[in-house]
């Protein structure tokens, strides 16, 4: 299920030609975009545009949307909040982040035990072959990671990302490298971004 995320432009081009850039969100795990001093609005607009394309392509009955935006009080994802058919769950309290993510991980265990044990390899196969047993896809949007995250929350998120494609769960997040904490080390961050499509802005774009 590929969706267009933008355009690819050659570094050297005489006529400004470009080709469409697509991401297959079913076989992938999501997107992480790195924030800098100037791209915050653009980055969150990009994540929301991707989210809306996905949400509009699916029935609301098979969508579970979680928005984690403790710093922005929901403002970073206001377009997604406006899509009321998806009934997005907005997490503003930093203390709720770990609880909500742990609930997602528990859902993985339940799906594995009850639905995916032998017959199907992933939730997508289950939904295609057993319409009466259709389970929802989960889309998690996070702004300014790792803001509000404790180390144990980060570990749960890491587990969700690593297993998410099997259980129909995808993470779309912005990463703010300027945020510091006792647990935040480069290897901890790399454990997250190495398992997800990572976008970083430079002079030529992303």
């Amino acid at each position: 299920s590929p969706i267009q995320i933008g355009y690819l432009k050659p570094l050297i081009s005489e006529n400004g030609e470009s080709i469409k850039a697509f991401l297959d969100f079913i076989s992938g795990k999501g997107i992480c975009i790195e924030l800098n001093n100037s791209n915050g609005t653009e980055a969150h607009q990009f994540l929301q545009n991707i989210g809306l394309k996905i949400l509009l392509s699916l029935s609301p009955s098979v969508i579970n949307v979680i928005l984690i935006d403790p710093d922005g009080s929901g403002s970073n994802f206001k377009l997604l909040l406006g899509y009321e058919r998806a009934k997005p769950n907005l997490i503003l309290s930093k203390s709720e982040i770990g609880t909500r993510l742990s609930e997602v991980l528990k859902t993985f265990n339940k799906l594995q035990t009850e639905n995916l044990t032998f017959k199907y390899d992933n939730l997508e196969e289950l939904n295609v072959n057993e319409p009466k047993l259709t389970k929802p896809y989960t889309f998690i949007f996070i702004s300014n990671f790792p803001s509000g995250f404790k180390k144990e929350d980060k570990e749960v998120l890491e587990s969700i990302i690593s297993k998410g494609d099997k259980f129909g769960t995808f993470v779309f997040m912005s990463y703010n490298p300027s945020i510091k904490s006792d647990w935040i080390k480069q290897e901890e961050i790399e454990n997250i971004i190495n398992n997800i499509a990572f976008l970083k802005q430079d002079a030529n774009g992303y």
Side-chain angles (χ1 to χ4, degrees):
S1 302
I3 53 172
Q4 185 181 344
I5 64 171
Y7 291 88
L8 297 174
K9 295 183 178 180
L11 295 180
I12 300 175
S13 175
E14 295 181 357
N15 57 8
E17 63 185 2
S18 63
I19 60 173
K20 293 180 179 180
F22 289 89
L23 175 74
D24 188 344
F25 77 91
I26 289 296
S27 63
K29 300 175 185 296
I31 298 175
C32 175
I33 183 167
E34 184 176 281
L35 301 178
N36 54 44
N37 293 329
S38 61
N39 74 339
T41 299
E42 177 185 53
H44 292 111
Q45 181 71 49
F46 170 80
L47 292 176
Q48 291 185 98
N49 288 343
I50 296 297
L52 285 174
K53 284 186 177 183
I54 294 172
L55 298 183
L56 291 171
S57 71
L58 296 170
S59 167
S61 64
V62 296
I63 295 173
N64 178 31
V65 180
I66 301 170
L67 308 175
I68 299 177
D69 187 23
D71 290 345
S73 298
S75 64
N76 287 314
F77 297 129
K78 58 185 177 182
L79 290 179
L80 295 175
L81 280 171
Y83 187 59
E84 296 179 355
R85 291 184 66 195
K87 297 181 175 62
N89 299 291
L90 178 61
I91 307 300
L92 298 179
S93 171
K94 295 178 180 180
S95 63
E96 290 182 43
I97 293 174
T99 300
R100 193 67 185 89
L101 293 180
S102 294
E103 289 174 357
V104 173
L105 211 53
K106 289 178 182 177
T107 301
F108 288 6
N109 296 332
K110 185 176 181 180
L111 283 169
Q112 181 64 56
T113 302
E114 297 182 0
N115 304 106
L116 303 180
T117 306
F118 300 111
K119 197 170 183 180
Y120 302 111
D121 291 332
N122 54 58
L123 184 138
E124 174 73 358
E125 287 187 8
L126 172 69
N127 287 350
V128 169
N129 292 285
E130 303 280 359
K132 292 183 179 180
L133 297 177
T134 295
K135 303 298 181 182
Y137 297 97
T138 297
F139 302 97
I140 304 173
F141 294 83
I142 303 169
S143 71
N144 286 291
F145 175 83
S147 177
F149 277 71
K150 296 177 287 189
K151 184 174 182 179
E152 51 266 37
D153 301 339
K154 188 277 304 182
E155 291 170 351
V156 174
L157 177 63
E158 185 180 338
S159 185
I160 288 173
I161 291 174
S162 67
K163 301 174 182 178
D165 51 344
K166 178 175 182 177
F167 297 102
T169 299
F170 309 92
V171 176
F172 300 89
M173 57 189 281
S174 63
Y175 159 56
N176 191 336
S178 69
I179 294 175
K180 307 299 180 185
S181 179
D182 292 340
W183 69 262
I184 300 173
K185 298 180 177 62
Q186 187 58 35
E187 57 268 28
E188 299 278 3
I189 299 299
E190 288 179 355
N191 287 340
I192 294 286
I193 64 178
N194 286 345
N195 287 304
I196 198 169
F198 183 66
L199 302 178
K200 182 176 181 178
Q201 188 177 39
D202 60 24
N204 298 306
Y206 289 91

